Amino acid sequence: MNKIIRKEQFSEKVYCIEVEAPLIAKSCKPGNFIIVRVDKKSERVPYTIAKSDAQRGTLTLVIQTVGLSSLKLCRLNVGDEVQDIAGPLGTPSHIENYGTVLCAGGGIGIAAILPILTAFKQAGNRVVSVLAGRTKDLVIMVDEVKKYSDKVIIMTDDGSYGEKGVITVGMEKIFNEEHVDKVLAIGPPIMMKFCSLMAKKYGIPNDVSLNTIMVDGTGMCGACRLTIGGKTKFVCIDGPEFDGDLVDWDEMFSRMGTFKRVEQEELEHYHP
Ligand code: FES
């Protein structure tokens, strides 16, 4: 069992929790993820790690309530425990000094990109961050991102924070201002697809971090499989980061929707 020691509400549906997981906190690397089972009856859901603190033995997660399991997790309070956490899982991010790296984070993807952009900065890169959300409330952890970025651009759909427009508008602005060697995009799949296409338009190598459905997280069940560059890959062990130019996005979108109806029914029949 893993105890929750801090909880903060970022916006209507977005929560930040710090949970005890000393062994994972000691060994996880930027880009790793975990799989959480809130209680014995809950499904196994992958979450990215926003921060890990080896000394405190904790992980910080940013969670958006989209289905029953995330809703149950967000309803827990300080002192409550989650059933189990498996990790660290996945292949860590490839960190090297590329020169200038543009990190594009959308919504709770900003929390996922934070440890990676921190590692890029520590490896000597110039880090330019473009953060986006539908509205001001959904652009999170800006102060933390600013700490490790040389430049930060904020975009919101409604113009309530930063500039009005989608994330690719901010990216293109940067591409027209300076040379960029590498792009990393993390956020909703549709956002990552268009970030990747924008980077491709300017001939810039780009990676995306895919958030497919997962069950075991160890390459055995096949739930997370996708076609990358014409080959079948398992996101949980070969990823979660892949070359965005090689992702079969249509397949990704269709597999993401596989359990939508069942998930909706579960949510409707849930009585806490
Ligand atoms: Fe089962 Fe990846 S989650 S193979």
Side-chain angles (χ1 to χ4, degrees):
M1 301 286 269
N2 304 74
K3 193 190 280 185
I4 293 175
I5 61 164
R6 191 173 62 86
K7 180 181 178 186
E8 195 183 330
Q9 185 166 9
F10 280 171
S11 63
E12 190 199 345
K13 289 187 170 182
V14 179
Y15 293 80
C16 176
I17 63 165
E18 188 175 353
V19 59
E20 285 177 345
L23 293 177
I24 302 173
K26 213 187 275 177
S27 56
C28 71
K29 296 198 168 58
N32 279 142
F33 66 94
I34 53 170
I35 287 187
V36 177
R37 205 161 54 120
V38 185
D39 55 43
K40 279 187 179 149
K41 287 190 180 162
S42 289
E43 59 191 339
R44 295 161 57 83
V45 180
Y47 294 103
T48 47
I49 302 164
K51 281 184 215 164
S52 61
D53 188 326
Q55 274 179 348
R56 280 162 67 85
T58 60
L59 304 174
T60 300
L61 315 176
V62 175
I63 302 145
Q64 187 161 16
T65 58
V66 284
L68 182 54
S69 296
S70 54
L71 180 70
K72 281 183 182 173
L73 186 52
C74 291
R75 285 205 167 155
L76 296 182
N77 289 310
V78 173
D80 291 340
E81 293 179 322
V82 300
Q83 183 65 34
D84 49 61
I85 300 179
L89 300 167
T91 302
S93 307
H94 178 73
I95 305 294
E96 64 172 68
N97 190 342
Y98 292 101
T100 298
V101 181
L102 187 150
C103 293
I108 60 165
I110 298 169
I113 216 166
L114 179 61
I116 307 170
L117 73 82
T118 304
F120 278 138
K121 185 68 200 156
Q122 286 165 346
N125 290 284
R126 173 175 163 77
V127 174
V128 178
S129 298
V130 182
L131 310 181
R134 265 181 289 116
T135 182
K136 184 172 192 253
D137 286 358
L138 301 172
V139 183
I140 57 171
M141 305 182 107
V142 176
D143 289 343
E144 286 99 324
V145 170
K146 279 185 177 166
K147 220 162 122 187
Y148 296 99
S149 302
D150 297 279
K151 189 193 273 187
V152 178
I153 289 193
I154 293 166
M155 307 292 306
T156 46
D157 291 4
D158 61 1
S160 55
Y161 190 20
E163 296 173 39
K164 189 170 190 255
V166 292
I167 196 160
T168 45
V169 173
M171 287 174 69
E172 192 155 33
K173 192 175 165 199
I174 297 292
F175 294 157
N176 288 322
E177 280 172 6
E178 60 178 293
H179 175 78
V180 173
D181 298 283
K182 177 89 181 169
V183 167
L184 172 68
I186 307 186
I190 190 74
M191 181 213 96
M192 291 193 283
K193 175 184 174 179
F194 283 101
C195 289
S196 174
L197 288 174
M198 179 57 76
K200 192 177 181 185
K201 179 177 157 190
Y202 285 82
I204 303 168
N206 63 91
D207 288 341
V208 292
S209 180
L210 301 179
N211 43 355
T212 51
I213 293 165
M214 291 190 193
V215 180
D216 66 318
T218 59
M220 310 241 268
C221 70
C224 66
R225 75 183 182 279
L226 277 184
T227 309
I228 311 281
K231 294 195 178 113
T232 298
K233 297 278 179 190
F234 293 138
V235 174
C236 66
I237 50 170
D238 299 317
E241 282 172 32
F242 294 98
D243 180 340
D245 294 348
L246 302 181
V247 175
D248 182 337
W249 291 103
D250 290 341
E251 184 191 36
M252 165 94 187
F253 299 137
S254 109
R255 288 187 63 81
M256 291 291 289
T258 310
F259 300 110
K260 273 240 150 37
R261 196 176 53 81
V262 182
E263 282 168 6
Q264 191 55 39
E265 280 173 16
E266 261 199 324
L267 205 52
E268 281 162 11
H269 295 111
Y270 173 59
H271 301 292

